[in-house]
């Protein structure tokens, strides 16, 4: 099983600050890495697909980068509505696996 | 509108069974794989199972293999997850999601809650 490790587990951030979340895979996955945002009592929402591809309707402040084993989700200027948990997902091989999640809180 | 709607969750005793449904609308059902993902209370997301476009290929997480069965009914645009021999650790919100090669896992349902308890 390909284990995804996110860091940090929790981040408390001031609005307009830049946020960086990393996801490290235990085995190389090429670009088969996707990022999700989940707000309390809501379903996950796709933010970035295949490491760096943007999703229609997602604000441009969200971007992704990386390949192989190391990936990054960046929120360029945090807004209050971005308070949520963020998860990475690898789809390179079965079983598909998620990172443990990163909770972003607004200061 | 593209939608996935889960149903069938509830309270069941350990060892019992439940069948979850995932009803699709607003898109061409037969061109998407459908996956199930679950989330235990206060925990992260865990992949459970998937089925291909015509139902001929299914895969499962080790934790549910031999107990859960995924299937699809093209006429009803619905995917099912039959869950047998349920355990307390199966307690979770269960989401279905559609997947295509270019789009990834892009649309999720609202989830249905399964509670396994005596």
């Amino acid at each position: 099983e390909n284990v995804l490790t996110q860091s940090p587990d929790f981040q408390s951030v001031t609005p307009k600050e830049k946020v960086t979340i990393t996801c490290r895979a235990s085995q190389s996955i090429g670009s088969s890495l996707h990022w999700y945002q989940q707000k309390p009592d809501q379903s996950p929402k796709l933010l970035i697909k295949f490491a760096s591809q943007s999703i229609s309707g997602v604000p441009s402040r969200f971007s992704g980068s990386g390949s192989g084993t190391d990936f990054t989700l960046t929120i360029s200027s945090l807004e209050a509505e971005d308070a949520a948990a963020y998860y990475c997902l690898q789809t390179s091989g079965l079983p598909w696996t998620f990172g443990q999640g990163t909770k972003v809180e607004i200061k | 509108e593209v939608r996935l709607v889960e149903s069938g969750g509830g309270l069941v005793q350990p060892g019992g069974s439940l069948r979850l449904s995932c009803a699709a609308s607003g898109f061409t059902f037969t061109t998407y794989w459908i996956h199930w993902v679950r989330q235990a209370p206060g925990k992260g997301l865990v992949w459970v199972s998937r089925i291909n476009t015509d139902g001929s290929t299914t895969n499962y997480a080790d934790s549910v293999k031999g107990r859960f069965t995924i299937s699809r009914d093209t006429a009803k645009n619905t995917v099912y997850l039959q869950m047998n021999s349920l355990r307390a650790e199966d307690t979770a919100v269960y989401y279905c999601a559609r997947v295509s090669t270019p789009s990834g896992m892009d649309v999720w349902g609202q989830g249905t809650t399964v509670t396994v308890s005596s």
Side-chain angles (χ1 to χ4, degrees):
Chain A
E1 175 173 312
N2 202 334
V3 177
L4 299 186
T5 303
Q6 290 182 228
S7 62
D9 290 333
F10 177 84
Q11 199 165 8
S12 183
V13 186
T14 303
K16 298 187 179 180
E17 247 189 280
K18 179 180 177 180
V19 174
T20 300
I21 299 170
T22 65
C23 178
R24 174 164 289 177
S26 60
Q27 304 165 43
S28 180
I29 57 174
S31 296
S32 298
L33 191 285
H34 317 271
W35 289 98
Y36 292 85
Q37 176 193 67
Q38 187 181 33
K39 296 182 179 179
D41 298 320
Q42 293 187 18
S43 309
K45 173 186 174 184
L46 181 63
L47 294 178
I48 299 290
K49 63 178 181 177
F50 298 106
S52 61
Q53 295 181 19
S54 59
I55 302 297
S56 175
V58 173
S60 59
R61 62 183 180 273
F62 292 94
S63 64
S65 64
S67 67
T69 60
D70 293 298
F71 302 86
T72 300
L73 173 71
T74 301
I75 309 173
S76 59
S77 179
L78 189 76
E79 297 193 5
E81 65 186 32
D82 300 335
Y86 293 84
Y87 295 91
C88 54
L89 163 69
Q90 71 80 20
T91 60
S92 174
L94 293 176
W96 287 12
T97 48
F98 290 88
Q100 81 277 14
T102 296
K103 186 174 181 181
V104 174
E105 173 194 90
I106 308 298
K107 275 185 186 173
Chain B
E1 181 190 3
V2 174
R3 288 189 76 192
L4 293 170
V5 178
E6 302 93 336
S7 60
L11 174 64
V12 61
Q13 292 188 338
S17 298
L18 275 179
R19 189 178 79 158
L20 306 184
S21 299
C22 171
S25 60
F27 64 97
T28 305
F29 180 67
T30 52
T31 60
Y32 286 85
W33 292 60
I34 300 295
H35 293 233
W36 287 94
V37 174
R38 69 184 181 184
Q39 187 169 35
K43 302 297 184 182
L45 302 167
V46 177
W47 178 82
V48 173
S49 181
R50 72 174 185 178
I51 188 165
N52 72 339
T53 55
D54 65 4
S56 61
T57 298
T58 60
N59 301 101
Y60 301 91
D62 284 347
S63 59
V64 307
K65 202 172 292 182
R67 300 188 298 123
F68 289 12
T69 302
I70 190 171
S71 61
R72 69 193 293 162
D73 184 334
T74 300
K76 295 183 178 180
N77 278 9
T78 300
V79 168
Y80 303 100
L81 187 68
Q82 177 67 43
M83 304 187 299
N84 299 331
S85 302
L86 283 162
R87 307 166 180 167
E89 54 265 36
D90 296 319
T91 294
V93 175
Y94 285 74
Y95 298 99
C96 63
R98 76 173 193 179
V99 173
S100 69
T101 298
S103 302
M105 187 180 278
D106 66 338
V107 175
W108 296 57
Q110 85 290 349
T112 187
T113 300
V114 172
T115 303
V116 184
S117 175
S118 55

